[in-house]
Amino acid sequence: MYTFSDIADILQVVPEQAPHNPLIEQLLTDSRKLVVPESTLFFTIHSVGRSANPFVETLYEQGVRAFVVDESYNGFSRCTDASFIVVRDVVDALQKLAKRHRVRFSLPVIGITGSNGKTVVKEWLYHLLNHTYQIVKSPKSYNSQIGVPLSIWQINNQHTLGIFEAGISQTQEMERLNAMIRPSIGVITSIGEAHASGFKNVEEKIEEKLSLFEGATALIYGSNDPVLKRKVGEYARKQPGMKILSWGSSEDNTVCVLETITHGATTSIHCRYKKALLHFNIPFADVASVSNALTCITVLLYLNVPESMIREHLHHLPVVEMRLEMKEGIQHCSVINDSYISDLTSLSIALDFLEQQHQHPRRTVFLSDIYQLRKDKDTTYRYVSALLNKKKIDRLIAIGEDLMQRRDWFAKIPETHFFPDTESFLLAYPQFTFQHETILLKGARVFGFERIMSLLETKTHDAVFEINLSALRNNLRFYQNHLRNTKLMVMVKAFSYGTGSFEIANILQHAKVDYLAVAYPDEGVELRQAGVRLPIMVMNTEEAGFANMVKYNLEPEIYSFRIATAWIRYLEARNITGFPVHLKLDTGMHRLGFEWNDITNVCMLLRESPQIKVQSVFSHLVGSENPSLDTFTKHQAELFNKMCDEIAVVAGNAFLRHLGNSAAITRHPDLRYDMVRLGIGLYGMDSVPEVAARLQEVGTLKTTISQIRVVKAGDTVGYNRAGRMTKDSTIATIRIGYADGYPRMLGNGNGQVWINGKKAPVVGNVCMDMTMVDVSGIDAREGDTVILFGPQYSVQEVASRAGTIPYEILTGISQRIKRVYYHD
Ligand SMILES: *Cc1c(COP(=O)(O)O)cnc(C)c1O
């Protein structure tokens, strides 16, 4: 336990002000994650271009009384009842605290790093060792400069083993993580490519990762990667006291892998360790899972876990899905299914996501007993009840004996139901109604909440369009970091480029973008009805939509005298003045907008029309992504400046100027003006490869195989006998067609789909609801997943094969295909 003044001592500073000396239990870096104000210490960690100082007062109002701030903070007099520590570098202070906390405990710690598989290996080691040890581990994938200290802070006296992840993207970072984690056992998973921009090459990346293990007594890795093997060898020579344990196919490995055989969905692993032959089975068939399992096996053998016990637990290795998924449910519900391992951090993340959903008036939570306890049961469930109260849920359906025994603690929730197990709830299910609400399912694996899920979700067409909300956040963050003080309008027209409406807008609102833009008033109305409060610009306004524009506070784009006059007359008749509008200028696109010749009349109109207020003036670039059009882009910008200056004289108020779309944000930083309009980049596409490498593709279009047959040479497949077989071939029929938005242009070998890691060409013509593909030589079965595009197989490539652009493919995906939203 630390008091505020203990923490000041550790940081070696005298508090700026300290009216009280509260006990500090929680460290907070994200103001939205506040749960227990009295014992929280908030760190003002700024993101690029965004100060965290304003959150101090927000939290102060919510009862937080302890803060660590830097010298840019000056609001002490507004928070006289709070204690403050002022430091030069807030992140550094957080890390210092973690370091001091860590050295108080002598428990063994496993430190895991690597490019892929860190979280899976961490969760699997937890699964394999939690019968033997009291384990503290990083929640989710908290492995950054901020995530690691927050993970370390959880260590307490009861723990007998720590398992922490360390992730880095630049040189020099690992040293700081090492000083906090102080691993006694180091584990390095896979290395991957040096794509992360912070490294010169793979060698440098490996060297940096190895520096996590400074001071460890053992290092464990897989030696099949020759570069990794060589670098570990060099490193080991400099660390005479460190034991190096490896697994791999050659004889010189600690665990020599003799054979791995997959049958169906399982793999048998045969290996030799200290002259003994060992055999294990794991319930996975993919290469990455086998590697991760071998890494775990090597760790367990090093820890002297008996072979029989390893075998027993490997047999039940869980899927580490780490997915928070939102689907359409029965009776107009949205159902969020959280398959993260059930612990307090993931509960808090899931409740945050629930809180961001404004589309339905009610919120219901299904919660099971929690097995991964950080403290004793009572402390845990008190925290859970505080968390649920804070998130203002309407109904709690709690399942499990521990929750049931503490039902009184949840009395503040308007409606609660308690069941000892999932079966009892299923029996009672017919007495419940679920309607127009957002439902969160958060259960530990043993409770089998998938049985509840299957009652609540609507059955779907087999094709789904999966939207990765974490990737979307990543892309947004990339642009926000780039922009610093420029405002950001996000284009969510056409169902957010096919990805969704309120589902995307809720995320954008939570991430504090400045503006949204839609194409038509109806799209804006839908967002308002789903609780989106951000200002919304509507690009195509016609008289039929005026009433809704006013009713829902939607701001029109004014692009012609006809629309301007009609709108002004409409407002005048209702005695409305100062309604915000956005003037569209035509600087070369020749689509919508006022031209240079119109400017005198525009100015006159503005002078005479108190009904409207110029909120912004904007134009659109015709070829911001195209280097050969840079001169034209410059010309457009000059014309834009000239026209804006004329309007500024008469506008009577300051207005925002904006010109750039996604490509302009990165290619023409000098054309950002006051705001930019982000579109395609948010969904992961950019024409500049260096930018594209920093973005993640957001959408994956998937379907399944309905039938597989062999078609003989000379026979044909599909309409008009277009798909003629030159040799005997295995043909799979998949559930997607042009009515779903899969372009007919992709027929007859133009297109390919991705099945079990291989590409299968489209055979014959694409049909309305089905398509045939050649799976000869691919291990494919009926029911297997087929990826039409996604991170594995870019929509950009699919578009170019179909002779179009990604925009058309994305927006063309039929509404009959269900969208599924998830966080990974
Ligand atoms: C669609 C649109 C954008 C966004 O363009 P991207 O190329 O997707 O970034 C920007 N401005 C206007 C006026 C648009 O219609």
Side-chain angles (χ1 to χ4, degrees), residues 298-362:
T298 313
V299 174
L300 269 69
L301 291 169
Y302 173 71
L303 291 172
N304 294 317
V305 178
E307 186 202 340
S308 58
M309 198 153 154
I310 302 178
R311 186 175 315 118
E312 158 79 21
H313 295 311
L314 274 177
H315 202 70
H316 302 288
L317 225 38
V319 179
V320 181
E321 265 206 272
M322 300 188 302
R323 238 167 101 127
L324 189 62
E325 193 176 76
M326 182 163 69
K327 290 185 174 169
E328 206 175 294
I330 54 168
Q331 313 268 22
H332 308 284
C333 291
S334 300
V335 190
I336 303 170
N337 186 24
D338 180 358
S339 58
Y340 281 120
I341 304 229
S342 181
D343 63 13
L344 288 180
T345 310
S346 69
L347 174 62
S348 149
I349 290 167
L351 287 168
D352 280 347
F353 185 57
L354 178 69
E355 194 184 24
Q356 288 167 36
Q357 307 305 318
H358 300 287
Q359 61 269 32
H360 306 300
R362 266 168 73 82

Side-chain angles (χ1 to χ4, degrees), residues 461-464 701-710 730-736 753-761 769-788:
H461 179 251
D462 266 312
V464 289
L701 182 62
K702 277 185 177 174
T703 189
T704 50
I705 297 178
S706 32
Q707 194 176 17
I708 293 183
R709 76 180 75 244
V710 173
T730 313
I731 301 298
T733 301
I734 64 174
R735 297 175 168 109
I736 198 154
V753 302
W754 180 274
I755 300 177
N756 298 338
K758 300 227 169 75
K759 286 178 188 166
D769 313 300
M770 281 173 268
T771 298
M772 278 69 85
V773 298
D774 188 340
V775 293
S776 307
I778 300 178
D779 180 16
R781 290 165 216 195
E782 293 178 1
D784 279 3
T785 298
V786 179
I787 292 174
L788 289 317

Side-chain angles (χ1 to χ4, degrees), residues 5 7 13 19 40 86 150 172-173 233 260 355 403 457 522 569 588 613 640 648 683 697 715-716 721 729 740 804 821:
S5 71
I7 289 174
V13 283
T40 291
V86 182
L150 297 177
Q172 313 295 316
E173 287 187 330
T260 59
E355 194 184 24
L403 279 165
E457 71 182 322
D522 286 354
R569 244 189 259 122
K613 164 181 167 238
F640 178 64
Y683 312 101
E697 215 157 310
D715 263 7
T716 63
R721 309 203 69 191
S729 307
D740 300 301
T804 179
Y821 299 88

Side-chain angles (χ1 to χ4, degrees), residues 525 527 640 647 804:
V525 172
L527 295 182
F640 178 64
I647 295 167
T804 179

Side-chain angles (χ1 to χ4, degrees), residues 491 493 497 539 591 618 620 661-662 677-680 807:
M491 310 308 285
K493 60 192 181 197
Y497 290 43
M539 293 194 289
R591 186 170 69 178
F618 75 108
H620 196 30
N661 60 345
S662 306
R677 300 185 305 271
L678 177 63
I680 194 84
Y807 301 74

